[in-house]
Amino acid sequence: MTEKERISRIVEILREAKKEWAVPVVTLMGQMGTDPFKILVATVLSLRTKDEVTAEAARRLFQVADTPEKLLKLSEEEIASLIYPVGFYNRKAKNLKEIARILVEHYGGQVPSDLEELLKLPGVGRKTANLVVTQGFKKPGICVDTHVHRIMNRLGFVKTKTPEETEFALREKLPKEFWIEINDLLVALGQHICRPISPKCSQCPIEHLCKKVGVKRSR
DNA sequence: AAAACGGGGGC
DNA sequence: GCCCCAGTTTT
């Protein structure tokens, strides 16, 4: 079996398996719709925060401000109280206000669709920027979070030390037809089965296709 | 009581 | 490359 055949099998199986998993992140993104601004804001809110908490905070914030212009009118304190209790709520409130200001002043109130432009925004790194590119604009991109990084290495599909390296390796190795959906599939797998510690390999639908590189178990 | 969680940024 | 960040959940 070639690498391309293997990853194709993996994607097929995960597409099926995902249907059985009630994945909060899918629910979250579904609620956010495809508006790039909402995806951007919700993704910023989601960092180090549970999806249910993120969804609730996003709902409250969007009720008051669902555009950069409206968001800019709120004070940092108001934003912070609306998004509480997501992690780093003070820092995120500050960043969101600054993001709103930049969007209004430099991008005509629109979210840029270009990765490099997105990366200039405060609190926006490669994970967030690529999620906006792939989910907000449906443009080619690979959103590598720790799930994607961890699982791609466990599978033996890449051998990388950082999520950024993984992104670049996947740009070379992963068939382009899978770029946009790979994050969603592996996040689902990561949350249900392929956890950082003590993954439930015996329940994993792709165990037979996995090299189990560096799997750790707690003592 | 401690570890786990986990992206971005500062150094 | 290393380490900090906030607060809740899991072990």
Side-chain angles (χ1 to χ4, degrees), chain A residues 33-52:
Chain A
T34 55
D35 174 6
F37 177 70
K38 288 188 175 181
I39 290 179
L40 173 59
V41 172
T43 306
V44 169
L45 291 178
S46 75
L47 304 185
R48 290 198 76 172
T49 304
K50 283 200 157 339
D51 295 319
E52 298 86 342

Side-chain angles (χ1 to χ4, degrees), chain A residues 84-135:
Chain A
Y84 183 85
V86 300
F88 306 115
Y89 54 91
N90 278 324
R91 181 198 303 178
K92 287 175 185 174
K94 184 172 194 269
N95 284 340
L96 286 174
K97 171 117 175 151
E98 178 64 7
I99 286 171
R101 192 188 65 75
I102 295 171
L103 293 184
V104 168
E105 292 183 6
H106 299 297
Y107 296 96
Q110 300 296 308
V111 175
S113 64
D114 186 71
L115 183 69
E116 296 306 317
E117 297 301 315
L118 287 164
L119 289 172
K120 293 177 184 170
L121 302 172
V124 176
R126 302 198 69 84
K127 185 261 182 178
T128 304
N130 272 303
L131 200 66
V132 171
V133 167
T134 57
Q135 304 305 312

Side-chain angles (χ1 to χ4, degrees), chain A residues 18 21-32 51 184 188 191:
Chain A
K18 211 191 72 166
W21 295 331
V23 186
V25 71
V26 172
T27 308
L28 172 62
M29 295 320 290
Q31 288 170 353
M32 291 315 112
D51 295 319
D184 189 43
Q191 291 179 339

Side-chain angles (χ1 to χ4, degrees), chain A residues 186-203:
Chain A
L186 295 192
V187 168
L189 182 68
Q191 291 179 339
H192 286 85
I193 307 284
C194 197
R195 303 179 309 191
I197 301 208
S198 301
K200 304 171 184 173
C201 293
S202 63
Q203 299 174 36

Side-chain angles (χ1 to χ4, degrees), chain A residues 6-7 18 42 52 74 79 93-94 123-124 132 150 159 169 171 174-175 184 201 206 211 216:
Chain A
R6 184 162 78 110
I7 198 66
K18 211 191 72 166
E52 298 86 342
L74 300 180
I79 297 173
K94 184 172 194 269
V124 176
V132 171
R150 177 181 70 255
K159 293 174 194 61
R171 282 175 179 273
L174 184 67
D184 189 43
C201 293
I206 56 170
K211 299 202 193 315
K216 291 198 192 85

